Amino acid sequence: MFTFFGALFILLLGYLFYSKFVEKVFVVNDNTPTPAYAKRDNLDFVPMSWWKGNLIQLLNIAGLGPIYGAVAGALYGPVAFIWIVVGSIFAGAVHDYFSGMMSLRHNGAQFPSLVGKYLGKHVKTFINLLSLVLMILVAAAFTAGPAQLIAQITPLSFTLALLIIFGYFILATILPINRVIGKIYPILGAILLIMAISVAVALIISGKSMPNLTIANLHPGDLPVWPLLMVTISCGAISGFHCTQSPIIARTMKKETDGRKIFYGAMIIEGVIALIWAAAGMTFFNGTDGLQAALVAGGPSGVVNEISTSLLGITGGILAVFGVIILPITTGDTALRSSRMILSDILAKFFNMDSKVKILLVTIPVSIPALFLATIDYTFLWRYVGWTNQVVASIMLWTGAMYLLKSHKFHWICGVPALFMSAVVCTYIFYAPEGLGLSYQLSIAIGFSLTVIVAFWYVYQIKKFRSEKHIKYKDKVA
């Protein structure tokens, strides 16, 4: 239990101190009009209070991610606590802050547009496609589970439940953000946090012994921590999906100083939620062996349901049903909203999104493949969501690093986690079953070699921008 409370305390310190350092590096200015006012259209650009923005951001980026991912990550043992804490403070929250604040500084630009500006048009083309694929996969993966549960507890068939959910998706995607998302989602975000806190309190009161981090139990089992843990626990540490959601809230911010509370703060809260569910997974089933058996028997939704109902009774059962149905749906609809916004940016050169009919026409092309994919095996989808998600995270961090380099600021706060995540994705794709399935040693060697190449590119960029700064200084002096 000491490890659990220590991890919570470090997350709090990360928000209190490191977030302020990150904000200082970025340099905020409340005198600059935000896109919510400068481009107000009462659809996507609408001013909202910071606390609403924080709770909506939390719900958008979280859903079931920090619950399912943390429960699966608990199989790696207490080492998961280290990744959640370090990942959240130095990678995930930095990633979310820069994706939101850079969008704010670029008139509410979507993630691919930021990539194009700082990493080049070829990378932008790739990331446009990858982002749309990720949004479609997320919408599909976070819809299949709720539809299956609705079919089990109501007279509705799976297909009908799926159609109803996607009907809501389309409606929520084309409505102004302050109509549904702005009014209901702050409440749902608060419930997500209350659900996690209730489980934590009940777990502590239950008297079950939480595992502490020691050399002996650092990592039980045979699964290699590197790089599998970093992909298994993405939401709750660092997730590329977040940078597709941050522009939604960036378009609603009233002032720049709200960014630390909204973006960095929401990621730290998500880290707390992940920490609680990872601890619950390790503790409730008396170790990783018991958790593994529970996952095989009932999957992640079964594990969440058993923990919730056993610890919280009827209230827990209601929260579990809420979590498995409502939370993924709210993630799915904002995923489609993001894909609609990305596609709108791509098509903006051809026609303006000046009517709901045009907005609907842009929404349908991303809804249809998501609807189709929702009918196939959930676990198959989730495997591909994981790696795609972390590739996007790596690219967003590199975008932040190039932005800071170009601005002659302390780029290492983005560059170091970007290099780390590059090593993760380069190694994972060669080793994982959904990748090339090579041997672990060979995958490590290839991943390390590719990371070295990326590191050389980074050093080259540093030298180039330093040289440009030196030339500008000499010209100014002359």
Side-chain angles (χ1 to χ4, degrees):
M1 193 170 292
F2 173 79
T3 300
F4 173 73
F5 282 109
L8 284 176
F9 182 65
I10 295 171
L11 281 173
L12 176 62
L13 291 179
Y15 176 73
L16 291 176
F17 296 103
Y18 195 67
S19 69
K20 291 182 180 178
F21 173 69
V22 171
E23 182 184 61
K24 185 177 180 180
V25 170
F26 185 82
V27 184
V28 292
N29 181 7
D30 281 344
N31 293 322
T32 304
T34 64
Y37 295 106
K39 297 183 67 177
R40 183 164 187 166
D41 62 0
N42 293 323
L43 175 65
D44 296 318
F45 294 89
V46 182
M48 288 196 304
S49 60
W50 74 264
W51 65 267
K52 277 190 176 182
N54 173 273
L55 289 172
I56 295 170
Q57 174 76 357
L58 173 63
L59 194 66
N60 288 357
I61 67 176
L64 281 179
I67 300 177
Y68 280 10
V71 166
L75 290 173
Y76 293 85
V79 68
F81 293 152
I82 298 176
W83 169 235
I84 290 170
V85 170
V86 175
S88 293
I89 294 172
F90 298 106
V94 173
H95 167 280
D96 291 10
Y97 182 82
F98 273 87
S99 61
M101 294 303 291
M102 287 175 65
S103 174
L104 184 79
R105 284 284 175 86
H106 294 80
N107 297 313
Q110 288 293 299
F111 164 58
S113 297
L114 298 175
V115 171
K117 183 173 180 63
Y118 294 100
L119 295 181
K121 62 180 181 179
H122 297 301
V123 183
K124 178 183 178 181
T125 301
F126 167 73
I127 208 63
N128 263 322
L129 178 61
L130 189 65
S131 296
L132 287 172
V133 168
L134 177 60
M135 294 303 95
I136 291 169
L137 285 172
V138 166
F142 280 99
T143 305
Q148 288 171 355
L149 186 56
I150 290 172
Q152 290 172 9
I153 63 177
T154 72
L156 298 177
S157 67
F158 171 76
T159 302
L160 183 57
L162 207 58
L163 291 174
I164 291 172
I165 292 171
F166 269 89
Y168 163 74
F169 280 178
I170 293 173
L171 181 64
T173 300
I174 65 176
L175 284 174
I177 190 169
N178 60 339
R179 287 282 181 86
V180 177
I181 294 175
K183 291 181 178 179
I184 300 175
Y185 283 26
I187 299 172
L188 299 180
I191 292 174
L192 171 65
L193 182 58
I194 291 169
M195 178 183 177
I197 293 173
S198 299
V199 168
V201 172
L203 197 64
I204 293 167
I205 294 174
S206 71
K208 290 181 176 289
S209 178
M210 289 187 188
N212 283 316
L213 188 64
T214 64
I215 298 298
N217 74 343
L218 181 66
H219 170 50
D222 300 324
L223 290 172
V225 171
W226 174 270
L228 301 185
L229 178 60
M230 291 75 195
V231 176
T232 302
I233 301 181
S234 52
C235 292
I238 177 172
S239 167
F241 176 68
H242 297 187
C243 69
T244 66
Q245 302 301 292
S246 295
I248 295 176
I249 305 304
R251 296 182 178 194
T252 70
M253 287 171 57
K254 291 183 175 181
K255 56 184 181 179
E256 290 193 355
T257 49
D258 288 343
R260 185 175 70 91
K261 293 176 283 190
I262 292 172
F263 301 116
Y264 202 102
M267 182 62 233
I268 293 299
I269 295 172
E270 188 185 47
V272 169
I273 294 171
L275 201 66
I276 289 170
W277 281 101
M282 292 178 216
T283 306
F284 184 82
F285 298 98
N286 301 313
T288 55
D289 290 339
L291 174 60
Q292 176 66 51
L295 285 170
V296 170
S301 58
V303 167
V304 171
N305 182 63
E306 186 173 350
I307 291 173
S308 300
T309 53
S310 297
L311 292 177
L312 302 174
I314 296 175
T315 303
I318 294 171
L319 288 174
V321 171
F322 165 83
V324 175
I325 294 179
I326 303 298
L327 295 181
I329 289 176
T330 60
T331 300
D333 70 4
T334 52
L336 286 185
R337 190 180 188 93
S338 293
S339 62
R340 185 263 294 169
M341 290 163 66
I342 292 171
L343 201 53
S344 296
D345 284 356
I346 295 172
L347 299 175
K349 62 180 72 174
F350 303 107
F351 57 89
N352 294 323
M353 295 292 133
D354 53 4
S355 71
K356 282 188 169 58
V357 174
K358 290 180 180 179
I359 294 170
L360 179 61
L361 290 175
V362 172
T363 304
I364 290 174
V366 291
S367 298
I368 292 175
L371 177 59
F372 169 74
L373 288 172
T375 62
I376 68 177
D377 181 45
Y378 172 86
T379 55
F380 173 83
L381 282 176
W382 193 247
R383 289 203 304 267
Y384 287 94
V385 168
W387 183 75
T388 307
N389 190 39
Q390 299 305 58
V391 171
V392 171
S394 304
I395 293 173
M396 180 60 235
L397 284 169
W398 283 123
T399 304
M402 292 306 106
Y403 165 79
L404 291 173
L405 264 174
K406 188 175 182 179
S407 305
H408 306 297
K409 296 177 180 178
F410 190 73
H411 55 88
W412 299 106
I413 60 172
C414 285
V416 172
L419 196 61
F420 178 86
M421 292 307 299
S422 297
V424 168
V425 297
C426 285
T427 305
Y428 184 90
I429 195 60
F430 290 99
Y431 177 66
E434 63 269 26
L436 298 179
L438 302 180
S439 70
Y440 185 64
Q441 291 75 16
L442 181 58
S443 299
I444 291 288
I446 297 173
F448 177 77
S449 300
L450 292 174
T451 305
V452 169
I453 294 172
V454 175
F456 275 118
W457 168 82
Y458 185 29
V459 171
Y460 169 76
Q461 296 298 322
I462 293 171
K463 289 182 178 179
K464 184 179 76 171
F465 281 109
R466 281 179 178 172
S467 176
E468 290 177 1
K469 181 181 180 181
H470 181 65
I471 291 172
K472 288 180 180 179
Y473 176 76
K474 287 178 67 177
D475 291 344
K476 186 177 180 180
V477 172

